[in-house]
Amino acid sequence: MEKVTVSLGTRSYPITIGFGLLKDPTAFWPLISGDSAILITNDRLTSLYLDPLYKRLVQVGIKVDCIILPDGEQNKSLLMLDRIFTFLLKRSYSREITIIALGGGVIGDLAGFAAASYKRGVRLIHAPTTLLSQVDSSIGGKTAINHSLGKNMIGVFYQPVSVIIDLDCLDTLPRREFSSGLAEIIKYGIAFDASFFYWLENNLELIFKLEPKALAYCVCHCCKLKSKVITNDEYEKSQRILLNLGHTYGHAIEVHTGYDGNWLHGEAVSAGIMMAAFASYRLGQFNDFEAKRVSTLLIRAGLPISGPINMKPNDYLPYMMRDKKVKSGQLHLVLPTEIGSAKVYANVTNDVAMASIKDCQNLVN
């Protein structure tokens, strides 16, 4: 078992990483305020993780209620958020309630937004069950819901009291969703850590095989990288923006395709990373050799390096111009300068952004 700390003064919290943690009530009950908790999960995870965790919490004297939401990115919505609030209000829960988010990024965002908003804030524990949520979305306090005009545009920063990562959850994760999580892992190497990118190139097959030491190292290293960024820039004013590598393009893909599951978040980010690499190349930064390393690793991870066939470059632009990094009507993009380093480029022209999308299309044609 490993522990990583997100250092935020009085709001600091641990990230606990290990195997079998959902079967260990001592990982949860000391963190619960009072004697009551709400488990929020989705209908796909109830038989896998909800019942065992529920029973163990009850055994140690915790009163547990469950909110089971439908699975899927399209359900990260105001409607589902309202369902959570209605559940809590009908049962007159006080500020002493603890919310446990048991699931991937959708559940984490919904439960986190609810915890931040219900009676102006209650305790939150993240128990992420997907690779993507374990290495990225459960850490750092970002919560949001989607809108038909933009992804993650309505939300709030709200830190949990703990993140509990049970690596056994990855045993049941479908291959496609596992690959989706690898996109965020590869992103860390490109944006922050060249030696970690090299490690991924040499150990990707071990990660796919869920080899315990390689898997634990990979997840733990990503948590350390992100916790360091959050400690230095909680509210995304400087360094934390670099975590958005590939996301401006990727979010455009997700919104355009309607959150319907045809494109998972990590798949869209993967295509976006490649587009960002080509944009950087066009600006005279990234070179051919490094772009090839990135595309090769993404492909080996089972990820796309181009967007939807029926999505034209001009289709991206309206969504990209609503991105949170846009300033004074000018597009700002996080682009890699070399493997292991990235920066925000101000005033990237539409021509460069559109050309980078075409470059990716040409790469797969």
mmCIF file of all heavy atoms in Angstrom, residues 122-165:
data_model
loop_
_atom_site.group_PDB
_atom_site.id
_atom_site.type_symbol
_atom_site.label_atom_id
_atom_site.label_comp_id
_atom_site.label_asym_id
_atom_site.label_seq_id
_atom_site.Cartn_x
_atom_site.Cartn_y
_atom_site.Cartn_z
ATOM 1 N N VAL A 122 -20.379 19.261 2.192
ATOM 2 C CA VAL A 122 -20.289 18.131 3.119
ATOM 3 C C VAL A 122 -19.054 17.306 2.747
ATOM 4 O O VAL A 122 -18.436 17.516 1.705
ATOM 5 C CB VAL A 122 -21.558 17.241 3.050
ATOM 6 C CG1 VAL A 122 -22.787 18.022 3.481
ATOM 7 C CG2 VAL A 122 -21.756 16.647 1.652
ATOM 8 N N ARG A 123 -18.710 16.376 3.618
ATOM 9 C CA ARG A 123 -17.495 15.583 3.419
ATOM 10 C C ARG A 123 -17.630 14.688 2.195
ATOM 11 O O ARG A 123 -18.690 14.124 1.913
ATOM 12 C CB ARG A 123 -17.193 14.729 4.648
ATOM 13 C CG ARG A 123 -16.727 15.552 5.847
ATOM 14 C CD ARG A 123 -16.615 14.698 7.096
ATOM 15 N NE ARG A 123 -15.499 13.774 7.042
ATOM 16 C CZ ARG A 123 -14.257 14.076 7.389
ATOM 17 N NH1 ARG A 123 -13.960 15.303 7.777
ATOM 18 N NH2 ARG A 123 -13.300 13.175 7.350
ATOM 19 N N LEU A 124 -16.503 14.527 1.498
ATOM 20 C CA LEU A 124 -16.467 13.744 0.266
ATOM 21 C C LEU A 124 -15.272 12.804 0.269
ATOM 22 O O LEU A 124 -14.148 13.210 0.572
ATOM 23 C CB LEU A 124 -16.367 14.695 -0.942
ATOM 24 C CG LEU A 124 -16.087 14.069 -2.310
ATOM 25 C CD1 LEU A 124 -17.281 13.241 -2.782
ATOM 26 C CD2 LEU A 124 -15.750 15.159 -3.340
ATOM 27 N N ILE A 125 -15.533 11.542 -0.051
ATOM 28 C CA ILE A 125 -14.480 10.546 -0.245
ATOM 29 C C ILE A 125 -14.602 10.019 -1.669
ATOM 30 O O ILE A 125 -15.680 9.630 -2.114
ATOM 31 C CB ILE A 125 -14.613 9.365 0.734
ATOM 32 C CG1 ILE A 125 -14.502 9.854 2.179
ATOM 33 C CG2 ILE A 125 -13.554 8.297 0.450
ATOM 34 C CD1 ILE A 125 -14.849 8.778 3.208
ATOM 35 N N HIS A 126 -13.495 10.004 -2.395
ATOM 36 C CA HIS A 126 -13.478 9.405 -3.729
ATOM 37 C C HIS A 126 -12.951 7.974 -3.649
ATOM 38 O O HIS A 126 -11.890 7.729 -3.071
ATOM 39 C CB HIS A 126 -12.588 10.208 -4.680
ATOM 40 C CG HIS A 126 -13.238 11.425 -5.254
ATOM 41 N ND1 HIS A 126 -14.360 11.364 -6.043
ATOM 42 C CD2 HIS A 126 -12.903 12.743 -5.160
ATOM 43 C CE1 HIS A 126 -14.704 12.583 -6.418
ATOM 44 N NE2 HIS A 126 -13.843 13.444 -5.880
ATOM 45 N N ALA A 127 -13.701 7.057 -4.250
ATOM 46 C CA ALA A 127 -13.251 5.668 -4.403
ATOM 47 C C ALA A 127 -13.313 5.341 -5.894
ATOM 48 O O ALA A 127 -14.265 4.714 -6.372
ATOM 49 C CB ALA A 127 -14.128 4.728 -3.590
ATOM 50 N N PRO A 128 -12.334 5.798 -6.671
ATOM 51 C CA PRO A 128 -12.382 5.658 -8.123
ATOM 52 C C PRO A 128 -12.188 4.201 -8.568
ATOM 53 O O PRO A 128 -11.336 3.491 -8.026
ATOM 54 C CB PRO A 128 -11.231 6.534 -8.602
ATOM 55 C CG PRO A 128 -10.263 6.557 -7.452
ATOM 56 C CD PRO A 128 -11.107 6.502 -6.220
ATOM 57 N N THR A 129 -12.957 3.789 -9.570
ATOM 58 C CA THR A 129 -12.936 2.389 -10.004
ATOM 59 C C THR A 129 -12.396 2.205 -11.414
ATOM 60 O O THR A 129 -12.229 1.074 -11.857
ATOM 61 C CB THR A 129 -14.339 1.781 -9.936
ATOM 62 O OG1 THR A 129 -15.217 2.535 -10.792
ATOM 63 C CG2 THR A 129 -14.881 1.792 -8.513
ATOM 64 N N THR A 130 -12.148 3.294 -12.153
ATOM 65 C CA THR A 130 -11.574 3.182 -13.493
ATOM 66 C C THR A 130 -10.141 3.694 -13.466
ATOM 67 O O THR A 130 -9.755 4.489 -12.592
ATOM 68 C CB THR A 130 -12.370 3.992 -14.529
ATOM 69 O OG1 THR A 130 -12.270 5.394 -14.208
ATOM 70 C CG2 THR A 130 -13.841 3.576 -14.541
ATOM 71 N N LEU A 131 -9.363 3.270 -14.435
ATOM 72 C CA LEU A 131 -7.974 3.731 -14.490
ATOM 73 C C LEU A 131 -7.911 5.237 -14.665
ATOM 74 O O LEU A 131 -7.107 5.911 -14.013
ATOM 75 C CB LEU A 131 -7.249 3.027 -15.650
ATOM 76 C CG LEU A 131 -5.764 3.364 -15.821
ATOM 77 C CD1 LEU A 131 -4.971 2.989 -14.573
ATOM 78 C CD2 LEU A 131 -5.193 2.654 -17.046
ATOM 79 N N LEU A 132 -8.756 5.788 -15.520
ATOM 80 C CA LEU A 132 -8.746 7.224 -15.764
ATOM 81 C C LEU A 132 -9.049 8.006 -14.492
ATOM 82 O O LEU A 132 -8.376 8.986 -14.177
ATOM 83 C CB LEU A 132 -9.749 7.572 -16.869
ATOM 84 C CG LEU A 132 -9.658 8.986 -17.453
ATOM 85 C CD1 LEU A 132 -10.103 8.982 -18.918
ATOM 86 C CD2 LEU A 132 -10.496 9.973 -16.675
ATOM 87 N N SER A 133 -10.056 7.563 -13.752
ATOM 88 C CA SER A 133 -10.395 8.288 -12.525
ATOM 89 C C SER A 133 -9.343 8.085 -11.439
ATOM 90 O O SER A 133 -9.110 8.972 -10.619
ATOM 91 C CB SER A 133 -11.779 7.858 -12.013
ATOM 92 O OG SER A 133 -11.829 6.481 -11.716
ATOM 93 N N GLN A 134 -8.670 6.942 -11.434
ATOM 94 C CA GLN A 134 -7.650 6.697 -10.417
ATOM 95 C C GLN A 134 -6.423 7.571 -10.609
ATOM 96 O O GLN A 134 -5.828 8.028 -9.635
ATOM 97 C CB GLN A 134 -7.256 5.218 -10.423
ATOM 98 C CG GLN A 134 -8.354 4.301 -9.894
ATOM 99 C CD GLN A 134 -7.945 2.838 -9.844
ATOM 100 O OE1 GLN A 134 -6.873 2.458 -10.339
ATOM 101 N NE2 GLN A 134 -8.786 2.004 -9.263
ATOM 102 N N VAL A 135 -6.045 7.820 -11.852
ATOM 103 C CA VAL A 135 -4.828 8.592 -12.092
ATOM 104 C C VAL A 135 -5.098 10.069 -12.324
ATOM 105 O O VAL A 135 -4.161 10.872 -12.342
ATOM 106 C CB VAL A 135 -4.032 8.044 -13.300
ATOM 107 C CG1 VAL A 135 -3.619 6.606 -13.067
ATOM 108 C CG2 VAL A 135 -4.817 8.175 -14.602
ATOM 109 N N ASP A 136 -6.386 10.449 -12.502
ATOM 110 C CA ASP A 136 -6.621 11.829 -12.896
ATOM 111 C C ASP A 136 -7.832 12.464 -12.225
ATOM 112 O O ASP A 136 -7.696 13.307 -11.343
ATOM 113 C CB ASP A 136 -6.771 11.901 -14.424
ATOM 114 C CG ASP A 136 -6.853 13.325 -14.939
ATOM 115 O OD1 ASP A 136 -5.867 14.062 -14.785
ATOM 116 O OD2 ASP A 136 -7.899 13.699 -15.483
ATOM 117 N N SER A 137 -9.042 12.075 -12.615
ATOM 118 C CA SER A 137 -10.213 12.884 -12.281
ATOM 119 C C SER A 137 -10.574 12.898 -10.806
ATOM 120 O O SER A 137 -11.210 13.843 -10.337
ATOM 121 C CB SER A 137 -11.433 12.432 -13.110
ATOM 122 O OG SER A 137 -11.794 11.101 -12.808
ATOM 123 N N SER A 138 -10.182 11.875 -10.038
ATOM 124 C CA SER A 138 -10.525 11.859 -8.610
ATOM 125 C C SER A 138 -9.608 12.743 -7.776
ATOM 126 O O SER A 138 -9.878 12.994 -6.600
ATOM 127 C CB SER A 138 -10.470 10.424 -8.070
ATOM 128 O OG SER A 138 -9.134 9.940 -8.076
ATOM 129 N N ILE A 139 -8.533 13.236 -8.380
ATOM 130 C CA ILE A 139 -7.509 13.993 -7.651
ATOM 131 C C ILE A 139 -7.571 15.462 -8.053
ATOM 132 O O ILE A 139 -7.567 15.785 -9.243
ATOM 133 C CB ILE A 139 -6.105 13.440 -7.960
ATOM 134 C CG1 ILE A 139 -6.040 11.941 -7.647
ATOM 135 C CG2 ILE A 139 -5.039 14.201 -7.189
ATOM 136 C CD1 ILE A 139 -4.859 11.248 -8.290
ATOM 137 N N GLY A 140 -7.656 16.340 -7.098
ATOM 138 C CA GLY A 140 -7.524 17.756 -7.399
ATOM 139 C C GLY A 140 -8.763 18.594 -7.241
ATOM 140 O O GLY A 140 -8.708 19.818 -7.353
ATOM 141 N N GLY A 141 -9.930 17.964 -7.020
ATOM 142 C CA GLY A 141 -11.101 18.736 -6.649
ATOM 143 C C GLY A 141 -11.905 19.353 -7.767
ATOM 144 O O GLY A 141 -12.785 20.177 -7.512
ATOM 145 N N LYS A 142 -11.639 18.989 -9.019
ATOM 146 C CA LYS A 142 -12.479 19.504 -10.107
ATOM 147 C C LYS A 142 -13.788 18.722 -10.154
ATOM 148 O O LYS A 142 -13.779 17.488 -10.182
ATOM 149 C CB LYS A 142 -11.774 19.364 -11.459
ATOM 150 C CG LYS A 142 -10.833 20.491 -11.808
ATOM 151 C CD LYS A 142 -10.395 20.331 -13.258
ATOM 152 C CE LYS A 142 -9.520 21.462 -13.702
ATOM 153 N NZ LYS A 142 -9.118 21.302 -15.128
ATOM 154 N N THR A 143 -14.906 19.423 -10.157
ATOM 155 C CA THR A 143 -16.207 18.788 -10.322
ATOM 156 C C THR A 143 -16.986 19.582 -11.363
ATOM 157 O O THR A 143 -16.840 20.811 -11.449
ATOM 158 C CB THR A 143 -17.015 18.769 -9.010
ATOM 159 O OG1 THR A 143 -17.548 20.081 -8.775
ATOM 160 C CG2 THR A 143 -16.155 18.354 -7.834
ATOM 161 N N ALA A 144 -17.789 18.895 -12.159
ATOM 162 C CA ALA A 144 -18.542 19.607 -13.194
ATOM 163 C C ALA A 144 -19.601 18.705 -13.800
ATOM 164 O O ALA A 144 -19.541 17.473 -13.674
ATOM 165 C CB ALA A 144 -17.601 20.111 -14.296
ATOM 166 N N ILE A 145 -20.558 19.338 -14.469
ATOM 167 C CA ILE A 145 -21.501 18.615 -15.296
ATOM 168 C C ILE A 145 -21.355 19.126 -16.731
ATOM 169 O O ILE A 145 -20.789 20.190 -16.975
ATOM 170 C CB ILE A 145 -22.964 18.774 -14.819
ATOM 171 C CG1 ILE A 145 -23.357 20.256 -14.733
ATOM 172 C CG2 ILE A 145 -23.171 18.074 -13.483
ATOM 173 C CD1 ILE A 145 -24.828 20.490 -14.428
ATOM 174 N N ASN A 146 -21.867 18.339 -17.679
ATOM 175 C CA ASN A 146 -21.770 18.697 -19.091
ATOM 176 C C ASN A 146 -22.976 19.522 -19.531
ATOM 177 O O ASN A 146 -24.040 19.490 -18.917
ATOM 178 C CB ASN A 146 -21.680 17.440 -19.950
ATOM 179 C CG ASN A 146 -20.417 16.641 -19.681
ATOM 180 O OD1 ASN A 146 -19.394 17.222 -19.322
ATOM 181 N ND2 ASN A 146 -20.483 15.339 -19.851
ATOM 182 N N HIS A 147 -22.783 20.222 -20.628
ATOM 183 C CA HIS A 147 -23.849 20.983 -21.277
ATOM 184 C C HIS A 147 -23.774 20.685 -22.766
ATOM 185 O O HIS A 147 -22.699 20.332 -23.286
ATOM 186 C CB HIS A 147 -23.649 22.489 -21.013
ATOM 187 C CG HIS A 147 -24.808 23.344 -21.403
ATOM 188 N ND1 HIS A 147 -25.037 23.754 -22.705
ATOM 189 C CD2 HIS A 147 -25.819 23.872 -20.662
ATOM 190 C CE1 HIS A 147 -26.125 24.486 -22.754
ATOM 191 N NE2 HIS A 147 -26.621 24.581 -21.525
ATOM 192 N N SER A 148 -24.881 20.823 -23.445
ATOM 193 C CA SER A 148 -24.885 20.528 -24.883
ATOM 194 C C SER A 148 -23.952 21.445 -25.662
ATOM 195 O O SER A 148 -23.539 21.118 -26.776
ATOM 196 C CB SER A 148 -26.312 20.662 -25.439
ATOM 197 O OG SER A 148 -26.815 21.980 -25.234
ATOM 198 N N LEU A 149 -23.574 22.582 -25.072
ATOM 199 C CA LEU A 149 -22.678 23.524 -25.739
ATOM 200 C C LEU A 149 -21.237 23.427 -25.262
ATOM 201 O O LEU A 149 -20.366 24.109 -25.811
ATOM 202 C CB LEU A 149 -23.186 24.960 -25.545
ATOM 203 C CG LEU A 149 -24.538 25.274 -26.192
ATOM 204 C CD1 LEU A 149 -24.954 26.704 -25.874
ATOM 205 C CD2 LEU A 149 -24.495 25.050 -27.696
ATOM 206 N N GLY A 150 -20.980 22.614 -24.258
ATOM 207 C CA GLY A 150 -19.607 22.512 -23.785
ATOM 208 C C GLY A 150 -19.465 21.504 -22.666
ATOM 209 O O GLY A 150 -20.373 21.326 -21.855
ATOM 210 N N LYS A 151 -18.300 20.855 -22.609
ATOM 211 C CA LYS A 151 -18.034 19.836 -21.591
ATOM 212 C C LYS A 151 -17.408 20.476 -20.355
ATOM 213 O O LYS A 151 -16.511 21.315 -20.459
ATOM 214 C CB LYS A 151 -17.094 18.769 -22.157
ATOM 215 C CG LYS A 151 -16.781 17.631 -21.189
ATOM 216 C CD LYS A 151 -15.882 16.606 -21.852
ATOM 217 C CE LYS A 151 -15.359 15.599 -20.825
ATOM 218 N NZ LYS A 151 -16.407 14.746 -20.281
ATOM 219 N N ASN A 152 -17.905 20.080 -19.201
ATOM 220 C CA ASN A 152 -17.348 20.521 -17.912
ATOM 221 C C ASN A 152 -17.363 22.048 -17.744
ATOM 222 O O ASN A 152 -16.481 22.620 -17.112
ATOM 223 C CB ASN A 152 -15.913 20.010 -17.737
ATOM 224 C CG ASN A 152 -15.843 18.509 -17.606
ATOM 225 O OD1 ASN A 152 -16.826 17.852 -17.257
ATOM 226 N ND2 ASN A 152 -14.684 17.941 -17.896
ATOM 227 N N MET A 153 -18.378 22.685 -18.299
ATOM 228 C CA MET A 153 -18.450 24.142 -18.217
ATOM 229 C C MET A 153 -19.164 24.641 -16.959
ATOM 230 O O MET A 153 -19.099 25.822 -16.631
ATOM 231 C CB MET A 153 -19.177 24.695 -19.450
ATOM 232 C CG MET A 153 -18.386 24.553 -20.737
ATOM 233 S SD MET A 153 -16.872 25.527 -20.676
ATOM 234 C CE MET A 153 -16.129 25.087 -22.237
ATOM 235 N N ILE A 154 -19.840 23.759 -16.249
ATOM 236 C CA ILE A 154 -20.610 24.160 -15.072
ATOM 237 C C ILE A 154 -20.111 23.326 -13.893
ATOM 238 O O ILE A 154 -20.362 22.121 -13.829
ATOM 239 C CB ILE A 154 -22.117 23.934 -15.286
ATOM 240 C CG1 ILE A 154 -22.592 24.651 -16.555
ATOM 241 C CG2 ILE A 154 -22.910 24.397 -14.079
ATOM 242 C CD1 ILE A 154 -23.939 24.202 -17.050
ATOM 243 N N GLY A 155 -19.391 23.945 -12.996
ATOM 244 C CA GLY A 155 -18.836 23.170 -11.901
ATOM 245 C C GLY A 155 -18.150 24.036 -10.862
ATOM 246 O O GLY A 155 -18.252 25.262 -10.879
ATOM 247 N N VAL A 156 -17.412 23.376 -9.980
ATOM 248 C CA VAL A 156 -16.766 24.069 -8.872
ATOM 249 C C VAL A 156 -15.563 23.257 -8.428
ATOM 250 O O VAL A 156 -15.511 22.032 -8.618
ATOM 251 C CB VAL A 156 -17.768 24.243 -7.701
ATOM 252 C CG1 VAL A 156 -18.185 22.904 -7.126
ATOM 253 C CG2 VAL A 156 -17.208 25.144 -6.603
ATOM 254 N N PHE A 157 -14.557 23.931 -7.866
ATOM 255 C CA PHE A 157 -13.444 23.230 -7.230
ATOM 256 C C PHE A 157 -13.864 22.835 -5.814
ATOM 257 O O PHE A 157 -14.310 23.683 -5.036
ATOM 258 C CB PHE A 157 -12.205 24.140 -7.158
ATOM 259 C CG PHE A 157 -11.542 24.402 -8.475
ATOM 260 C CD1 PHE A 157 -11.848 25.530 -9.217
ATOM 261 C CD2 PHE A 157 -10.590 23.531 -8.970
ATOM 262 C CE1 PHE A 157 -11.229 25.791 -10.423
ATOM 263 C CE2 PHE A 157 -9.957 23.778 -10.179
ATOM 264 C CZ PHE A 157 -10.286 24.900 -10.914
ATOM 265 N N TYR A 158 -13.704 21.554 -5.489
ATOM 266 C CA TYR A 158 -14.063 21.096 -4.145
ATOM 267 C C TYR A 158 -13.239 19.855 -3.822
ATOM 268 O O TYR A 158 -13.394 18.808 -4.449
ATOM 269 C CB TYR A 158 -15.556 20.775 -4.057
ATOM 270 C CG TYR A 158 -16.049 20.551 -2.644
ATOM 271 C CD1 TYR A 158 -16.190 21.617 -1.764
ATOM 272 C CD2 TYR A 158 -16.376 19.275 -2.200
ATOM 273 C CE1 TYR A 158 -16.627 21.419 -0.466
ATOM 274 C CE2 TYR A 158 -16.823 19.070 -0.901
ATOM 275 C CZ TYR A 158 -16.945 20.143 -0.039
ATOM 276 O OH TYR A 158 -17.395 19.948 1.255
ATOM 277 N N GLN A 159 -12.367 19.975 -2.830
ATOM 278 C CA GLN A 159 -11.448 18.884 -2.516
ATOM 279 C C GLN A 159 -12.110 17.823 -1.635
ATOM 280 O O GLN A 159 -12.895 18.154 -0.740
ATOM 281 C CB GLN A 159 -10.209 19.431 -1.803
ATOM 282 C CG GLN A 159 -9.424 20.459 -2.599
ATOM 283 C CD GLN A 159 -8.803 19.915 -3.866
ATOM 284 O OE1 GLN A 159 -8.682 18.704 -4.044
ATOM 285 N NE2 GLN A 159 -8.400 20.815 -4.757
ATOM 286 N N PRO A 160 -11.777 16.562 -1.860
ATOM 287 C CA PRO A 160 -12.255 15.494 -0.974
ATOM 288 C C PRO A 160 -11.452 15.464 0.317
ATOM 289 O O PRO A 160 -10.460 16.201 0.461
ATOM 290 C CB PRO A 160 -11.978 14.235 -1.804
ATOM 291 C CG PRO A 160 -10.756 14.582 -2.595
ATOM 292 C CD PRO A 160 -10.914 16.058 -2.940
ATOM 293 N N VAL A 161 -11.876 14.627 1.244
ATOM 294 C CA VAL A 161 -11.077 14.405 2.450
ATOM 295 C C VAL A 161 -10.124 13.235 2.263
ATOM 296 O O VAL A 161 -9.180 13.062 3.035
ATOM 297 C CB VAL A 161 -11.962 14.165 3.687
ATOM 298 C CG1 VAL A 161 -12.800 15.399 3.980
ATOM 299 C CG2 VAL A 161 -12.836 12.938 3.525
ATOM 300 N N SER A 162 -10.369 12.441 1.220
ATOM 301 C CA SER A 162 -9.493 11.305 0.945
ATOM 302 C C SER A 162 -9.825 10.733 -0.434
ATOM 303 O O SER A 162 -10.962 10.838 -0.911
ATOM 304 C CB SER A 162 -9.663 10.212 2.005
ATOM 305 O OG SER A 162 -8.755 9.154 1.787
ATOM 306 N N VAL A 163 -8.822 10.135 -1.058
ATOM 307 C CA VAL A 163 -9.012 9.349 -2.276
ATOM 308 C C VAL A 163 -8.489 7.948 -1.993
ATOM 309 O O VAL A 163 -7.340 7.780 -1.558
ATOM 310 C CB VAL A 163 -8.261 9.964 -3.478
ATOM 311 C CG1 VAL A 163 -8.451 9.096 -4.727
ATOM 312 C CG2 VAL A 163 -8.722 11.392 -3.738
ATOM 313 N N ILE A 164 -9.335 6.950 -2.196
ATOM 314 C CA ILE A 164 -8.979 5.565 -1.894
ATOM 315 C C ILE A 164 -8.994 4.776 -3.204
ATOM 316 O O ILE A 164 -10.050 4.563 -3.799
ATOM 317 C CB ILE A 164 -9.950 4.955 -0.874
ATOM 318 C CG1 ILE A 164 -9.879 5.749 0.433
ATOM 319 C CG2 ILE A 164 -9.630 3.490 -0.630
ATOM 320 C CD1 ILE A 164 -10.945 5.389 1.440
ATOM 321 N N ILE A 165 -7.817 4.356 -3.656
ATOM 322 C CA ILE A 165 -7.666 3.714 -4.956
ATOM 323 C C ILE A 165 -7.420 2.221 -4.766
ATOM 324 O O ILE A 165 -6.350 1.812 -4.297
ATOM 325 C CB ILE A 165 -6.510 4.344 -5.742
ATOM 326 C CG1 ILE A 165 -6.812 5.823 -6.029
ATOM 327 C CG2 ILE A 165 -6.259 3.584 -7.048
ATOM 328 C CD1 ILE A 165 -5.666 6.571 -6.693
#
